Amino acid sequence: MGKFKTHWEIQHNWQLLFPFLGLLALTYSAFKLANRISDNLILIIIATAIIFYSLLKLTLYIFKKLEKKWILQYKWEMIRVFIVFAITGSSSLYIGRPIIKLLGITKENLNPVIYWILFIIIGLIFYQILLVTFGWLFGQFKFFWEFEKKMLKRFGLKRFLD
């Protein structure tokens, strides 16, 4: 455990919550993917282990690449940032679907291409708001505000930042 804490620059035991939540979410994702592959419990368990291992390797590879790009004080904060991205992505869909229905936009009454374009636009609007909100709730407001400003500049909305 000492080696793990040193590697992830964990100073306090409460910071272990984020690696634990990350591993829990990775396990859940692996299980959901494995559950789609088979109905056999033994195959699901084996597939979950294989998928978990693959996702863990991919995640650690991505951490290594982003560690140089993202400026965070400690390595364990990268896990917290990934958790915020995961929660934000899921939440924007859960909020976007009812809003689009409330506006009367459905696949049945609109061309599917236009429907998906509108769905993506509405989802992106809520994603931007939720990203900063969840970033603040997880103690990473400064990181996500800077990230948000870069994203808005890429969308050509620089004038809204001044």
Side-chain angles (χ1 to χ4, degrees):
M1 183 61 92
K3 189 176 177 183
F4 180 82
K5 283 182 165 183
T6 303
H7 175 74
W8 287 99
E9 300 172 345
I10 294 174
Q11 294 85 25
H12 307 287
N13 286 336
W14 67 267
Q15 294 167 342
L16 287 169
L17 174 68
F18 296 106
F20 174 75
L21 286 175
L23 289 172
L24 189 65
L26 210 57
T27 304
Y28 178 72
S29 298
F31 172 74
K32 292 295 277 185
L33 289 170
N35 205 19
R36 290 185 173 257
I37 295 171
S38 175
D39 292 334
N40 184 329
L41 182 62
I42 294 171
L43 286 176
I44 290 174
I45 292 170
I46 293 169
T48 298
I50 293 169
I51 294 169
F52 174 83
Y53 180 76
S54 302
L55 288 175
L56 182 62
K57 284 294 193 184
L58 176 65
T59 303
L60 292 175
Y61 173 77
I62 293 169
F63 276 9
K64 196 169 278 193
K65 292 290 181 184
L66 291 176
E67 187 176 18
K68 298 169 189 154
K69 188 175 182 179
W70 290 349
I71 298 162
L72 296 166
Q73 196 168 3
Y74 302 107
K75 284 184 182 180
W76 65 268
E77 290 179 314
M78 296 226 11
I79 300 168
R80 190 162 56 171
V81 166
F82 269 60
I83 291 171
V84 169
F85 278 123
I87 292 171
T88 303
S90 301
S91 299
S92 67
L93 287 176
Y94 286 122
I95 291 174
R97 281 189 183 131
I99 298 292
I100 212 161
K101 284 181 184 173
L102 185 69
L103 295 173
I105 301 170
T106 65
K107 294 177 195 174
E108 291 78 31
N109 68 2
L110 206 58
N111 181 323
V113 174
I114 295 172
Y115 170 83
W116 284 110
I117 290 171
L118 290 173
F119 185 79
I120 290 168
I121 290 170
I122 290 171
L124 276 172
I125 291 168
F126 284 104
Y127 184 83
Q128 308 308 314
I129 296 165
L130 292 171
L131 189 63
V132 175
T133 304
F134 285 124
W136 174 74
L137 288 172
F138 277 79
Q140 290 292 340
F141 177 78
K142 183 179 177 187
F143 174 84
F144 283 104
W145 181 241
E146 293 302 318
F147 189 87
E148 187 64 34
K149 288 194 286 190
K150 285 181 192 174
M151 196 180 308
L152 290 173
K153 285 178 188 174
R154 288 182 187 138
F155 288 151
L157 301 172
K158 184 178 178 181
R159 63 182 173 269
F160 292 112
L161 297 173
D162 298 329

